[in-house]
Amino acid sequence: YWVALENAGANFLVAYSASHAENPDFSWIVDYLARAEARDIDVAVQIPTDILEAGDQAALQRLAETVGPSPALYGWYVDEPGCCGSQVTPELLADAYATIHAVTDHPFVVVLAAQKSTCDYDPSYLASIDVVMSENYPIKNGTAEFEGAFSQTAIAEACSVNDDVIGRPGYVAILQGFGLDADGQPQFDSRDPTYRELRYMLFTTLVRDVRGAVHWVDYRANDALTANVNAVLHEASSTMGVLAEGTFADPAVAVDAVDIAYRYAATPCGTYLLVINESGGVPGQPLSDVTFTLPSGVAGAQMEVLFDGFDESSRTYQSRSVPLDREGPTGPRFSDDFEPYGVHL
């Protein structure tokens, strides 16, 4: 488990906690965070639901004092307050927020159900939330590849607007993974996403200004799903450290096609461009000769395409590059072909 996450480059986990009654000294959380720290993985730890719903401020303070010092603690996780049987009211969440933040300033990471087109969260909870998580599970049983996957673009676009300007918390996307339920049936009437669907949903989120993304992968998930999630995590972790410092839809880059999302980063280590074709187009027919014009100061003779042409059988990628035309009128340029919902790095 830990080795696979480490190899994939995962750097963030959500840990569901036992109830306070089952683990009154929070020792399992401390042990779990120690294992995560050894692998440079940050963890959002669930506040035990029983003490949260009871408004047990003494227990919440002990939790903060016991767990707060861990270097691996990212924040405090609360799952869908006021929904799905939760008895956590806005007042209870606000009290917990104040008690815990009197001890530690780690953010409250809260899952809220959102209207997918607007991210219109219940405003009564927002004052006690630092990072909001929202899920989108579009891949249903009986659907063709990418039928519904594009809806991840809509929620990422709506939720990734400059949070400070509109007074909304930072955003972490919850992406579909799943696996099987206890009866061996697919959960939530959902089939396993394909590698290409997983890749598209992850990068159409990360290309925008978000805090991150996490896949809900059940422990009963089959090996193929887990391997594909780990593959796209590896691709993201290998490049997003650089691209996170870049700019979404940077006006310094020109592109001659619509429905192309991109993120550009110029660093001492090189020039990076994450590009997503957010159009389904005609299945099997690529969007040909999409041309990008880069700033005039970009050097080099070609752009290397990273993690291209993944073969799920051999778990290998193809080596590919595209030439830079240095005679462009405003700067060097290159062209590439994009399959429907294709992701190029």
Side-chain angles (χ1 to χ4, degrees):
Y1 169 77
W2 288 103
V3 172
L5 289 172
E6 190 173 17
N7 290 343
N11 60 5
F12 175 71
L13 292 174
V14 172
Y16 288 94
S17 66
S19 70
H20 180 243
E22 295 172 341
N23 189 236
D25 62 356
F26 310 114
S27 57
W28 87 264
I29 303 176
V30 174
D31 292 343
Y32 189 91
L33 288 171
R35 293 195 291 274
E37 181 187 355
R39 295 162 175 85
D40 293 323
I41 296 175
D42 290 338
V43 182
V45 170
Q46 184 182 26
I47 300 173
T49 302
D50 51 355
I51 60 173
L52 190 57
E53 292 185 339
D56 187 340
Q57 305 308 310
L60 289 166
Q61 181 175 336
R62 289 197 305 274
L63 172 70
E65 292 170 346
T66 304
V67 178
S70 170
L73 178 65
Y74 175 84
W76 307 101
Y77 176 82
V78 180
D79 189 31
E80 297 193 294
C83 176
C84 310
S86 168
Q87 303 301 310
V88 178
T89 64
E91 294 75 21
L92 285 171
L93 187 64
D95 289 345
Y97 188 92
T99 295
I100 288 179
H101 276 177
V103 179
T104 170
D105 60 0
H106 293 87
F108 267 46
V109 182
V110 180
V111 177
L112 287 181
Q115 184 178 341
K116 299 300 185 276
S117 61
T118 63
C119 282
D120 187 15
Y121 302 104
D122 183 343
S124 58
Y125 286 98
L126 289 182
S128 307
I129 299 174
D130 302 301
V131 177
V132 68
M133 301 178 73
S134 189
E135 69 277 2
N136 187 33
Y137 307 148
I139 311 300
K140 300 301 183 184
N141 276 329
T143 58
E145 188 177 41
F146 289 112
E147 185 180 337
F150 60 85
S151 66
Q152 182 60 39
T153 302
I155 188 172
E157 189 170 45
C159 294
S160 63
V161 182
N162 188 317
D163 305 307
D164 294 333
V165 172
I166 63 174
R168 193 171 60 219
Y171 171 63
V172 172
I174 299 172
L175 301 179
Q176 183 171 336
F178 302 151
L180 305 178
D181 64 19
D183 297 325
Q185 301 300 313
Q187 294 191 62
F188 309 115
D189 191 34
S190 299
R191 63 170 172 81
D192 288 347
T194 66
Y195 162 79
R196 297 199 313 148
E197 288 171 325
L198 289 165
R199 193 176 200 236
Y200 175 79
M201 288 190 291
L202 177 62
F203 282 105
T204 197
T205 301
L206 295 182
V207 72
R208 294 173 164 81
D209 294 325
V210 300
R211 297 285 186 93
V214 62
H215 290 88
W216 270 190
V217 180
D218 192 271
Y219 67 93
R220 290 179 292 259
N222 63 52
D223 291 343
L225 174 61
T226 303
N228 284 338
V229 169
N230 286 347
V232 297
L233 286 179
H234 174 69
E235 294 168 17
S237 66
S238 299
T239 53
M240 288 310 298
V242 173
L243 284 162
E245 301 302 319
T247 302
F248 173 59
D250 192 330
V253 175
V255 58
D256 69 352
V258 298
D259 295 325
I260 294 290
Y262 65 91
R263 190 174 191 90
Y264 173 76
T267 78
C269 301
T271 298
Y272 290 80
L273 193 66
L274 166 62
V275 184
I276 298 108
N277 176 13
E278 295 185 334
S279 168
V282 179
Q285 295 186 18
L287 187 61
S288 299
D289 292 324
V290 178
T291 299
F292 299 85
T293 302
L294 305 177
S296 59
V298 173
Q302 63 187 19
M303 296 288 283
E304 301 293 335
V305 185
L306 307 177
F307 304 111
D308 195 52
F310 183 62
D311 185 310
E312 292 186 53
S313 298
S314 63
R315 316 302 295 179
T316 58
Y317 299 90
Q318 297 176 3
S319 177
R320 186 168 72 89
S321 63
V322 291
L324 267 181
D325 173 10
R326 306 206 60 81
E327 303 302 321
T330 59
R333 59 188 179 183
F334 71 94
S335 298
D336 204 1
D337 299 338
F338 288 81
E339 65 276 20
Y341 302 116
V343 176
H344 291 191
L345 285 155

PDB file of all heavy atoms in Angstrom, residues 318-344:
ATOM      1  N   GLN A 318       5.693   5.929 -25.091  1.00  0.00           N
ATOM      2  CA  GLN A 318       6.451   6.127 -26.314  1.00  0.00           C
ATOM      3  C   GLN A 318       7.262   7.408 -26.212  1.00  0.00           C
ATOM      4  O   GLN A 318       6.852   8.374 -25.576  1.00  0.00           O
ATOM      5  CB  GLN A 318       5.516   6.214 -27.526  1.00  0.00           C
ATOM      6  CG  GLN A 318       4.717   4.955 -27.798  1.00  0.00           C
ATOM      7  CD  GLN A 318       3.743   5.110 -28.948  1.00  0.00           C
ATOM      8  OE1 GLN A 318       3.692   6.151 -29.594  1.00  0.00           O
ATOM      9  NE2 GLN A 318       2.956   4.082 -29.206  1.00  0.00           N
ATOM     10  N   SER A 319       8.403   7.409 -26.875  1.00  0.00           N
ATOM     11  CA  SER A 319       9.236   8.613 -26.946  1.00  0.00           C
ATOM     12  C   SER A 319       8.817   9.410 -28.176  1.00  0.00           C
ATOM     13  O   SER A 319       8.738   8.870 -29.282  1.00  0.00           O
ATOM     14  CB  SER A 319      10.712   8.220 -27.037  1.00  0.00           C
ATOM     15  OG  SER A 319      11.517   9.369 -27.185  1.00  0.00           O
ATOM     16  N   ARG A 320       8.538  10.707 -27.984  1.00  0.00           N
ATOM     17  CA  ARG A 320       8.099  11.523 -29.110  1.00  0.00           C
ATOM     18  C   ARG A 320       8.507  12.970 -28.884  1.00  0.00           C
ATOM     19  O   ARG A 320       8.574  13.433 -27.746  1.00  0.00           O
ATOM     20  CB  ARG A 320       6.576  11.432 -29.279  1.00  0.00           C
ATOM     21  CG  ARG A 320       6.030  12.138 -30.512  1.00  0.00           C
ATOM     22  CD  ARG A 320       4.570  11.766 -30.763  1.00  0.00           C
ATOM     23  NE  ARG A 320       3.655  12.360 -29.804  1.00  0.00           N
ATOM     24  CZ  ARG A 320       3.073  13.564 -29.959  1.00  0.00           C
ATOM     25  NH1 ARG A 320       3.346  14.308 -31.023  1.00  0.00           N
ATOM     26  NH2 ARG A 320       2.220  14.011 -29.051  1.00  0.00           N
ATOM     27  N   SER A 321       8.783  13.678 -29.942  1.00  0.00           N
ATOM     28  CA  SER A 321       9.064  15.103 -29.867  1.00  0.00           C
ATOM     29  C   SER A 321       8.442  15.794 -31.077  1.00  0.00           C
ATOM     30  O   SER A 321       8.152  15.159 -32.092  1.00  0.00           O
ATOM     31  CB  SER A 321      10.565  15.374 -29.814  1.00  0.00           C
ATOM     32  OG  SER A 321      11.192  14.913 -31.005  1.00  0.00           O
ATOM     33  N   VAL A 322       8.218  17.087 -30.954  1.00  0.00           N
ATOM     34  CA  VAL A 322       7.717  17.890 -32.067  1.00  0.00           C
ATOM     35  C   VAL A 322       8.686  19.042 -32.285  1.00  0.00           C
ATOM     36  O   VAL A 322       9.178  19.648 -31.321  1.00  0.00           O
ATOM     37  CB  VAL A 322       6.292  18.411 -31.805  1.00  0.00           C
ATOM     38  CG1 VAL A 322       5.298  17.267 -31.816  1.00  0.00           C
ATOM     39  CG2 VAL A 322       6.208  19.145 -30.473  1.00  0.00           C
ATOM     40  N   PRO A 323       8.998  19.357 -33.534  1.00  0.00           N
ATOM     41  CA  PRO A 323       9.996  20.401 -33.806  1.00  0.00           C
ATOM     42  C   PRO A 323       9.459  21.793 -33.510  1.00  0.00           C
ATOM     43  O   PRO A 323       8.268  22.069 -33.675  1.00  0.00           O
ATOM     44  CB  PRO A 323      10.286  20.229 -35.296  1.00  0.00           C
ATOM     45  CG  PRO A 323       9.054  19.590 -35.852  1.00  0.00           C
ATOM     46  CD  PRO A 323       8.516  18.708 -34.771  1.00  0.00           C
ATOM     47  N   LEU A 324      10.352  22.673 -33.062  1.00  0.00           N
ATOM     48  CA  LEU A 324      10.041  24.078 -32.873  1.00  0.00           C
ATOM     49  C   LEU A 324      10.415  24.844 -34.134  1.00  0.00           C
ATOM     50  O   LEU A 324      11.567  24.798 -34.585  1.00  0.00           O
ATOM     51  CB  LEU A 324      10.815  24.653 -31.686  1.00  0.00           C
ATOM     52  CG  LEU A 324      10.175  24.670 -30.301  1.00  0.00           C
ATOM     53  CD1 LEU A 324      11.125  25.312 -29.300  1.00  0.00           C
ATOM     54  CD2 LEU A 324       8.854  25.410 -30.309  1.00  0.00           C
ATOM     55  N   ASP A 325       9.454  25.524 -34.699  1.00  0.00           N
ATOM     56  CA  ASP A 325       9.712  26.397 -35.845  1.00  0.00           C
ATOM     57  C   ASP A 325      10.134  27.761 -35.309  1.00  0.00           C
ATOM     58  O   ASP A 325       9.328  28.488 -34.725  1.00  0.00           O
ATOM     59  CB  ASP A 325       8.436  26.511 -36.681  1.00  0.00           C
ATOM     60  CG  ASP A 325       8.561  27.537 -37.806  1.00  0.00           C
ATOM     61  OD1 ASP A 325       9.695  28.010 -38.056  1.00  0.00           O
ATOM     62  OD2 ASP A 325       7.531  27.860 -38.414  1.00  0.00           O
ATOM     63  N   ARG A 326      11.371  28.093 -35.499  1.00  0.00           N
ATOM     64  CA  ARG A 326      11.907  29.326 -34.933  1.00  0.00           C
ATOM     65  C   ARG A 326      11.691  30.536 -35.840  1.00  0.00           C
ATOM     66  O   ARG A 326      12.170  31.637 -35.553  1.00  0.00           O
ATOM     67  CB  ARG A 326      13.385  29.159 -34.606  1.00  0.00           C
ATOM     68  CG  ARG A 326      13.669  27.943 -33.699  1.00  0.00           C
ATOM     69  CD  ARG A 326      14.920  28.130 -32.899  1.00  0.00           C
ATOM     70  NE  ARG A 326      14.862  29.293 -32.042  1.00  0.00           N
ATOM     71  CZ  ARG A 326      14.243  29.328 -30.851  1.00  0.00           C
ATOM     72  NH1 ARG A 326      13.643  28.244 -30.381  1.00  0.00           N
ATOM     73  NH2 ARG A 326      14.222  30.432 -30.132  1.00  0.00           N
ATOM     74  N   GLU A 327      10.961  30.338 -36.927  1.00  0.00           N
ATOM     75  CA  GLU A 327      10.714  31.436 -37.864  1.00  0.00           C
ATOM     76  C   GLU A 327       9.323  32.042 -37.684  1.00  0.00           C
ATOM     77  O   GLU A 327       8.839  32.765 -38.559  1.00  0.00           O
ATOM     78  CB  GLU A 327      10.862  30.927 -39.305  1.00  0.00           C
ATOM     79  CG  GLU A 327      12.213  30.306 -39.611  1.00  0.00           C
ATOM     80  CD  GLU A 327      13.355  31.274 -39.361  1.00  0.00           C
ATOM     81  OE1 GLU A 327      13.201  32.476 -39.667  1.00  0.00           O
ATOM     82  OE2 GLU A 327      14.411  30.834 -38.858  1.00  0.00           O
ATOM     83  N   GLY A 328       8.654  31.728 -36.573  1.00  0.00           N
ATOM     84  CA  GLY A 328       7.334  32.298 -36.338  1.00  0.00           C
ATOM     85  C   GLY A 328       7.388  33.813 -36.264  1.00  0.00           C
ATOM     86  O   GLY A 328       8.405  34.392 -35.840  1.00  0.00           O
ATOM     87  N   PRO A 329       6.330  34.504 -36.657  1.00  0.00           N
ATOM     88  CA  PRO A 329       6.358  35.963 -36.710  1.00  0.00           C
ATOM     89  C   PRO A 329       6.525  36.637 -35.354  1.00  0.00           C
ATOM     90  O   PRO A 329       7.074  37.738 -35.270  1.00  0.00           O
ATOM     91  CB  PRO A 329       5.006  36.322 -37.347  1.00  0.00           C
ATOM     92  CG  PRO A 329       4.135  35.132 -37.111  1.00  0.00           C
ATOM     93  CD  PRO A 329       5.053  33.953 -37.151  1.00  0.00           C
ATOM     94  N   THR A 330       6.057  35.973 -34.271  1.00  0.00           N
ATOM     95  CA  THR A 330       6.165  36.592 -32.946  1.00  0.00           C
ATOM     96  C   THR A 330       6.961  35.756 -31.957  1.00  0.00           C
ATOM     97  O   THR A 330       7.276  36.222 -30.863  1.00  0.00           O
ATOM     98  CB  THR A 330       4.768  36.845 -32.358  1.00  0.00           C
ATOM     99  OG1 THR A 330       4.067  35.601 -32.253  1.00  0.00           O
ATOM    100  CG2 THR A 330       3.978  37.807 -33.237  1.00  0.00           C
ATOM    101  N   GLY A 331       7.285  34.538 -32.313  1.00  0.00           N
ATOM    102  CA  GLY A 331       8.026  33.666 -31.420  1.00  0.00           C
ATOM    103  C   GLY A 331       8.056  32.253 -31.954  1.00  0.00           C
ATOM    104  O   GLY A 331       7.369  31.935 -32.940  1.00  0.00           O
ATOM    105  N   PRO A 332       8.858  31.380 -31.368  1.00  0.00           N
ATOM    106  CA  PRO A 332       8.913  29.991 -31.843  1.00  0.00           C
ATOM    107  C   PRO A 332       7.556  29.319 -31.702  1.00  0.00           C
ATOM    108  O   PRO A 332       6.795  29.607 -30.776  1.00  0.00           O
ATOM    109  CB  PRO A 332       9.957  29.346 -30.927  1.00  0.00           C
ATOM    110  CG  PRO A 332      10.011  30.213 -29.720  1.00  0.00           C
ATOM    111  CD  PRO A 332       9.705  31.608 -30.184  1.00  0.00           C
ATOM    112  N   ARG A 333       7.259  28.417 -32.611  1.00  0.00           N
ATOM    113  CA  ARG A 333       5.953  27.771 -32.599  1.00  0.00           C
ATOM    114  C   ARG A 333       6.087  26.300 -32.930  1.00  0.00           C
ATOM    115  O   ARG A 333       7.079  25.869 -33.523  1.00  0.00           O
ATOM    116  CB  ARG A 333       5.002  28.462 -33.579  1.00  0.00           C
ATOM    117  CG  ARG A 333       5.486  28.457 -35.010  1.00  0.00           C
ATOM    118  CD  ARG A 333       4.609  29.324 -35.896  1.00  0.00           C
ATOM    119  NE  ARG A 333       5.094  29.340 -37.277  1.00  0.00           N
ATOM    120  CZ  ARG A 333       4.555  30.053 -38.253  1.00  0.00           C
ATOM    121  NH1 ARG A 333       3.495  30.824 -37.992  1.00  0.00           N
ATOM    122  NH2 ARG A 333       5.048  30.006 -39.474  1.00  0.00           N
ATOM    123  N   PHE A 334       5.085  25.530 -32.539  1.00  0.00           N
ATOM    124  CA  PHE A 334       5.047  24.115 -32.879  1.00  0.00           C
ATOM    125  C   PHE A 334       3.604  23.697 -33.058  1.00  0.00           C
ATOM    126  O   PHE A 334       2.672  24.373 -32.586  1.00  0.00           O
ATOM    127  CB  PHE A 334       5.729  23.256 -31.800  1.00  0.00           C
ATOM    128  CG  PHE A 334       4.966  23.173 -30.509  1.00  0.00           C
ATOM    129  CD1 PHE A 334       4.083  22.126 -30.265  1.00  0.00           C
ATOM    130  CD2 PHE A 334       5.136  24.133 -29.516  1.00  0.00           C
ATOM    131  CE1 PHE A 334       3.381  22.047 -29.061  1.00  0.00           C
ATOM    132  CE2 PHE A 334       4.437  24.061 -28.317  1.00  0.00           C
ATOM    133  CZ  PHE A 334       3.550  23.010 -28.095  1.00  0.00           C
ATOM    134  N   SER A 335       3.395  22.594 -33.742  1.00  0.00           N
ATOM    135  CA  SER A 335       2.052  22.063 -33.982  1.00  0.00           C
ATOM    136  C   SER A 335       1.988  20.622 -33.529  1.00  0.00           C
ATOM    137  O   SER A 335       2.986  19.891 -33.568  1.00  0.00           O
ATOM    138  CB  SER A 335       1.676  22.154 -35.466  1.00  0.00           C
ATOM    139  OG  SER A 335       1.655  23.504 -35.897  1.00  0.00           O
ATOM    140  N   ASP A 336       0.799  20.203 -33.091  1.00  0.00           N
ATOM    141  CA  ASP A 336       0.616  18.833 -32.641  1.00  0.00           C
ATOM    142  C   ASP A 336      -0.831  18.426 -32.908  1.00  0.00           C
ATOM    143  O   ASP A 336      -1.713  19.272 -33.075  1.00  0.00           O
ATOM    144  CB  ASP A 336       0.935  18.716 -31.146  1.00  0.00           C
ATOM    145  CG  ASP A 336       1.327  17.312 -30.730  1.00  0.00           C
ATOM    146  OD1 ASP A 336       1.366  16.421 -31.602  1.00  0.00           O
ATOM    147  OD2 ASP A 336       1.584  17.104 -29.527  1.00  0.00           O
ATOM    148  N   ASP A 337      -1.073  17.114 -32.954  1.00  0.00           N
ATOM    149  CA  ASP A 337      -2.408  16.573 -33.153  1.00  0.00           C
ATOM    150  C   ASP A 337      -2.945  16.076 -31.818  1.00  0.00           C
ATOM    151  O   ASP A 337      -2.204  15.460 -31.037  1.00  0.00           O
ATOM    152  CB  ASP A 337      -2.385  15.410 -34.150  1.00  0.00           C
ATOM    153  CG  ASP A 337      -1.881  15.824 -35.521  1.00  0.00           C
ATOM    154  OD1 ASP A 337      -1.948  17.029 -35.835  1.00  0.00           O
ATOM    155  OD2 ASP A 337      -1.416  14.939 -36.275  1.00  0.00           O
ATOM    156  N   PHE A 338      -4.235  16.295 -31.583  1.00  0.00           N
ATOM    157  CA  PHE A 338      -4.847  15.937 -30.309  1.00  0.00           C
ATOM    158  C   PHE A 338      -6.052  15.046 -30.529  1.00  0.00           C
ATOM    159  O   PHE A 338      -7.003  15.429 -31.228  1.00  0.00           O
ATOM    160  CB  PHE A 338      -5.288  17.196 -29.544  1.00  0.00           C
ATOM    161  CG  PHE A 338      -4.147  17.996 -28.992  1.00  0.00           C
ATOM    162  CD1 PHE A 338      -3.445  18.864 -29.819  1.00  0.00           C
ATOM    163  CD2 PHE A 338      -3.765  17.857 -27.678  1.00  0.00           C
ATOM    164  CE1 PHE A 338      -2.387  19.596 -29.319  1.00  0.00           C
ATOM    165  CE2 PHE A 338      -2.697  18.579 -27.168  1.00  0.00           C
ATOM    166  CZ  PHE A 338      -1.998  19.454 -27.998  1.00  0.00           C
ATOM    167  N   GLU A 339      -6.025  13.858 -29.946  1.00  0.00           N
ATOM    168  CA  GLU A 339      -7.188  12.993 -29.962  1.00  0.00           C
ATOM    169  C   GLU A 339      -8.276  13.614 -29.083  1.00  0.00           C
ATOM    170  O   GLU A 339      -7.993  14.480 -28.252  1.00  0.00           O
ATOM    171  CB  GLU A 339      -6.819  11.598 -29.456  1.00  0.00           C
ATOM    172  CG  GLU A 339      -6.398  11.524 -28.002  1.00  0.00           C
ATOM    173  CD  GLU A 339      -4.950  11.840 -27.726  1.00  0.00           C
ATOM    174  OE1 GLU A 339      -4.284  12.487 -28.575  1.00  0.00           O
ATOM    175  OE2 GLU A 339      -4.468  11.472 -26.634  1.00  0.00           O
ATOM    176  N   PRO A 340      -9.546  13.239 -29.267  1.00  0.00           N
ATOM    177  CA  PRO A 340     -10.603  13.769 -28.403  1.00  0.00           C
ATOM    178  C   PRO A 340     -10.268  13.564 -26.927  1.00  0.00           C
ATOM    179  O   PRO A 340      -9.876  12.469 -26.513  1.00  0.00           O
ATOM    180  CB  PRO A 340     -11.838  12.971 -28.816  1.00  0.00           C
ATOM    181  CG  PRO A 340     -11.589  12.611 -30.250  1.00  0.00           C
ATOM    182  CD  PRO A 340     -10.106  12.345 -30.320  1.00  0.00           C
ATOM    183  N   TYR A 341     -10.379  14.621 -26.139  1.00  0.00           N
ATOM    184  CA  TYR A 341     -10.073  14.607 -24.710  1.00  0.00           C
ATOM    185  C   TYR A 341      -8.610  14.205 -24.435  1.00  0.00           C
ATOM    186  O   TYR A 341      -8.293  13.672 -23.375  1.00  0.00           O
ATOM    187  CB  TYR A 341     -11.037  13.707 -23.941  1.00  0.00           C
ATOM    188  CG  TYR A 341     -12.478  14.101 -24.097  1.00  0.00           C
ATOM    189  CD1 TYR A 341     -13.395  13.256 -24.713  1.00  0.00           C
ATOM    190  CD2 TYR A 341     -12.928  15.337 -23.639  1.00  0.00           C
ATOM    191  CE1 TYR A 341     -14.731  13.620 -24.872  1.00  0.00           C
ATOM    192  CE2 TYR A 341     -14.261  15.712 -23.798  1.00  0.00           C
ATOM    193  CZ  TYR A 341     -15.152  14.858 -24.418  1.00  0.00           C
ATOM    194  OH  TYR A 341     -16.458  15.231 -24.581  1.00  0.00           O
ATOM    195  N   GLY A 342      -7.748  14.490 -25.388  1.00  0.00           N
ATOM    196  CA  GLY A 342      -6.337  14.127 -25.229  1.00  0.00           C
ATOM    197  C   GLY A 342      -5.601  15.074 -24.305  1.00  0.00           C
ATOM    198  O   GLY A 342      -5.900  16.271 -24.218  1.00  0.00           O
ATOM    199  N   VAL A 343      -4.615  14.534 -23.605  1.00  0.00           N
ATOM    200  CA  VAL A 343      -3.756  15.293 -22.688  1.00  0.00           C
ATOM    201  C   VAL A 343      -2.325  15.167 -23.161  1.00  0.00           C
ATOM    202  O   VAL A 343      -1.819  14.046 -23.341  1.00  0.00           O
ATOM    203  CB  VAL A 343      -3.867  14.748 -21.248  1.00  0.00           C
ATOM    204  CG1 VAL A 343      -2.899  15.489 -20.320  1.00  0.00           C
ATOM    205  CG2 VAL A 343      -5.295  14.851 -20.736  1.00  0.00           C
ATOM    206  N   HIS A 344      -1.664  16.297 -23.385  1.00  0.00           N
ATOM    207  CA  HIS A 344      -0.258  16.296 -23.793  1.00  0.00           C
ATOM    208  C   HIS A 344       0.546  17.135 -22.817  1.00  0.00           C
ATOM    209  O   HIS A 344       0.149  18.250 -22.465  1.00  0.00           O
ATOM    210  CB  HIS A 344      -0.100  16.872 -25.211  1.00  0.00           C
ATOM    211  CG  HIS A 344      -0.682  15.994 -26.284  1.00  0.00           C
ATOM    212  ND1 HIS A 344      -0.453  16.220 -27.622  1.00  0.00           N
ATOM    213  CD2 HIS A 344      -1.480  14.911 -26.227  1.00  0.00           C
ATOM    214  CE1 HIS A 344      -1.081  15.301 -28.341  1.00  0.00           C
ATOM    215  NE2 HIS A 344      -1.733  14.497 -27.510  1.00  0.00           N
TER     216      HIS A 344
END
